[in-house]
Amino acid sequence: MFLTLSPTAGPLEKLWHVIFSGLCLAIFAFLVLPLVIVVPLSFNAEAYFTFTREMLSLSPEAFSWRWYRELFTNPQWATAFRNSLLVALGATVIATTLGTLAALGLAKLRPALRASVMIVLLSPMIIPIVIVAAALYFFFTAIGLAQTLTGLILAHAMLGAPFVVTTVLATLSGFDWNLVRAAASLGAGPVRTFRRVTLPAIAPGVISGGLFAFITSLDEVVVVMFLASVDQRTVPRQMWSGIREQLSPTILAAASLLIFASLLLLLFAEMIRRRNEAARISNPKE
């Protein structure tokens, strides 16, 4: 995150290094501090959204698993978690499949045509989410998919597919297409070639894109507010409703679990990236 300071750096360079490091720390604190505060507040024994005197003095009686127990025993929250996992898993499978196929097709197009198609495929990331949600609502209502879990899965798959396309396309930039031609010359069909040659080579990009699609679905709330019925609330929608209808620190417990899950998925994606990079360095000819 910080610049490496040369041993022979002059006074001005040292001053710039200190200023730049301070700016990095300030930006990092601005982005992370709200998330860090949520976690200890979720263990508050009282029904408050602020640190009590007992918490600041680190009294054991001030901390409790009360809101986490409420999170797993309340039927509304249990249903919300079930819906979130079901929608996220379904959307991830669809987004990963379609996004990988789209990236394979884009990799073979001319650069000018590829750029034009990419604009269309990445439009769900560019267009404001409220507009996307409204358009999906009118379209899904016309075909009978509004207020259904199937509609939510398809909508979240559309939102997650661009992440898969970009990550897989980046992985394909270093792929040797001569391997595909060699497999075809040896009698392997397209499906077998993809399963035995192409997929293992682009697996890190596919997995990373799938993880980002999963996180996107798990965190999305605007489309859910437009498309979901009352009994199809996801965790973000339940959190939003809880803030408006029944304010409870259970929301903080749910937010802490989502933060923890997102960190684990991002760490897993980083491990895959580093492993692939290390394999590429150790086998430069591949």
Side-chain angles (χ1 to χ4, degrees):
M1 183 174 68
F2 301 104
L3 290 174
T4 303
L5 186 62
S6 173
T8 59
L12 290 178
E13 189 174 353
K14 291 180 180 179
L15 178 62
W16 165 244
H17 177 79
V18 173
I19 294 174
F20 181 78
S21 300
L23 287 174
C24 289
L25 284 174
I27 295 172
F28 182 79
F30 176 77
L31 295 175
V32 176
L33 194 58
L35 301 180
V36 175
I37 292 176
V38 166
V39 178
L41 281 178
S42 66
F43 294 97
N44 193 348
E46 303 295 332
Y48 299 135
F49 282 77
T50 58
F51 289 100
T52 61
R53 290 184 179 181
E54 291 77 9
M55 292 185 70
L56 295 176
S57 62
L58 299 180
S59 174
E61 292 77 12
F63 297 90
S64 171
W65 292 93
R66 170 184 177 184
W67 309 114
Y68 287 92
R69 288 193 296 267
E70 172 71 15
L71 189 64
F72 291 105
T73 56
N74 189 306
Q76 290 185 340
W77 282 102
T79 302
F81 271 102
R82 183 195 63 193
N83 290 338
S84 285
L85 289 177
L86 178 62
V87 171
L89 289 174
T92 300
V93 171
I94 297 175
T96 303
T97 303
L98 297 182
T100 301
L101 294 176
L104 290 172
L106 286 171
K108 298 181 180 180
L109 295 179
R110 298 191 304 272
L113 182 58
R114 183 191 308 161
S116 301
V117 177
M118 281 290 291
I119 293 175
V120 178
L121 292 178
L122 298 182
S123 58
M125 299 174 60
I126 302 171
I127 299 175
I129 189 62
V130 174
I131 298 176
V132 174
L136 287 172
Y137 171 76
F138 288 113
F139 178 70
F140 282 1
T141 300
I143 62 176
L145 287 177
Q147 298 186 350
T148 64
L149 285 177
T150 302
L152 278 181
I153 292 173
L154 294 177
H156 283 190
M158 186 193 73
L159 297 176
F163 293 97
V164 182
V165 172
T166 53
T167 54
V168 175
L169 201 59
T171 306
L172 284 171
S173 62
F175 180 70
D176 187 2
W177 291 99
N178 289 324
L179 297 175
V180 176
R181 300 185 184 95
S185 66
L186 294 173
V191 176
R192 188 175 183 182
T193 300
F194 174 77
R195 183 170 56 87
R196 301 294 296 273
V197 178
T198 308
L199 185 59
I202 65 174
V206 174
I207 296 174
S208 298
L211 290 177
F212 281 113
F214 184 84
I215 294 174
T216 300
S217 175
L218 204 64
D219 183 60
E220 206 285 319
V221 65
V222 178
V223 172
V224 175
M225 292 177 66
F226 274 79
L227 295 181
S229 62
V230 177
D231 57 344
Q232 293 168 351
R233 291 184 176 183
T234 59
V235 172
R237 172 65 187 276
Q238 182 64 27
M239 294 171 65
W240 173 261
S241 300
I243 293 175
R244 292 174 57 89
E245 300 169 5
Q246 187 179 3
L247 197 60
S248 170
T250 309
I251 300 171
L252 299 177
S256 299
L257 289 180
L258 289 178
I259 293 172
F260 182 69
S262 300
L263 286 176
L264 285 180
L265 292 175
L266 290 175
L267 287 174
F268 183 62
E270 180 64 15
M271 289 174 55
I272 294 174
R273 186 193 67 81
R274 292 190 178 187
R275 182 178 178 181
N276 183 55
E277 186 177 349
R280 187 176 299 177
I281 294 174
S282 60
N283 301 287
K285 293 183 179 181
E286 296 183 9

